[in-house]
Amino acid sequence: GWVWQGKIQYIADNLLSEGKMREMIIVMNDGYVFPEDGHGNPASGIIDEVLVDDCVPFIDGRFRTVPDRHSRAVGGLSMGAMQAVDTAMKHPEVFASLCSLSGGFGVKGLGYDRTEQFSTPEGAKELFDYIFVAGGEQEPQNPLMLKMAEEYSQKGYDNIHFYTCPGYHEWDTWRNAAYNMLQQLFA
């Protein structure tokens, strides 16, 4: 979807040509990874295992990357955003940046509890360099996201960025969010 409907290649190319984002490799995995034996998160399968055990080593082994957590982000939209949050929270040793588009954000879930690290801005910053959480103003979860944004902002969490724009759970919203996120990622 990110190529055909999301136009991510055009968004990134234009931002690069304008000097508004850093060069990066954008990898898009299929998030439908559900093993027959049923292990893994019932909603997100084992995408975290696939990314950490297969995808990251494959990309680092074949492309000129900076192979450390501070040079890696995981992100997604909708179900993929939930998968990205799960993956980042379970594997902060691999990913230091997280981007969640229309998928929410939480520090506790199936297989992880980062409540202690997120109890202070310093703890959150030690765990993640950058977190971007976005959604459309007309999406049902927008009021919760705005409340969360206010709470984190008041407590001084400057590595967590919330973004909203007019829109629903659809590509106009996600293209807008990606445009803004790419300008801040690895900045």
Side-chain angles (χ1 to χ4, degrees):
W2 270 112
V3 172
W4 299 109
Q5 294 92 1
K7 313 291 187 206
I8 194 69
Q9 69 277 26
Y10 302 121
I11 295 168
D13 283 349
N14 286 325
L15 288 171
L16 282 167
S17 72
E18 296 168 6
K20 292 183 177 178
M21 72 176 264
R22 297 207 36 204
E23 289 185 6
M24 64 183 74
I25 298 169
I26 298 174
V27 178
M28 294 168 272
N29 287 74
D30 184 346
Y32 293 97
V33 186
F34 300 96
E36 290 183 22
D37 70 3
H39 87 279
N41 182 321
S44 64
I46 58 166
I47 188 67
D48 67 304
E49 294 175 29
V50 171
L51 292 174
V52 170
D53 298 338
D54 298 328
C55 182
V56 168
F58 178 85
I59 298 299
D60 283 347
R62 284 169 179 76
F63 296 93
R64 192 174 44 123
T65 64
V66 180
D68 69 53
R69 67 184 291 273
H70 299 288
S71 299
R72 260 189 231 112
V74 61
L77 66 88
S78 193
M79 180 183 87
M82 179 195 64
Q83 292 173 330
V85 171
D86 284 354
T87 299
M89 291 295 173
K90 289 179 187 175
H91 303 282
E93 75 284 359
V94 179
F95 302 100
S97 293
L98 164 64
C99 305
S100 172
L101 312 181
S102 296
F105 174 69
V107 299
K108 187 176 182 179
L110 291 174
Y112 64 89
D113 183 350
R114 300 291 179 192
T115 307
E116 184 177 327
Q117 289 96 335
F118 276 84
S119 65
T120 65
E122 297 78 25
K125 193 168 237 165
E126 190 174 306
L127 201 60
F128 291 104
D129 297 337
Y130 174 73
I131 297 171
F132 184 85
V133 183
E137 291 173 2
Q138 283 72 37
E139 291 191 73
Q141 73 271 17
N142 193 54
L144 177 62
M145 188 178 84
L146 292 174
K147 180 181 177 201
M148 187 182 295
E150 181 66 25
E151 289 172 4
Y152 277 111
S153 176
Q154 285 180 354
K155 294 177 183 176
Y157 289 77
D158 61 359
N159 64 325
I160 304 174
H161 305 271
F162 291 87
Y163 174 81
T164 62
C165 64
Y168 297 86
H169 199 78
E170 47 84 28
W171 284 105
D172 284 339
T173 299
W174 301 324
R175 283 189 296 266
N176 251 321
Y179 176 84
N180 283 277
M181 177 270 299
L182 287 170
Q183 294 180 66
Q184 298 172 41
L185 184 62
F186 306 125

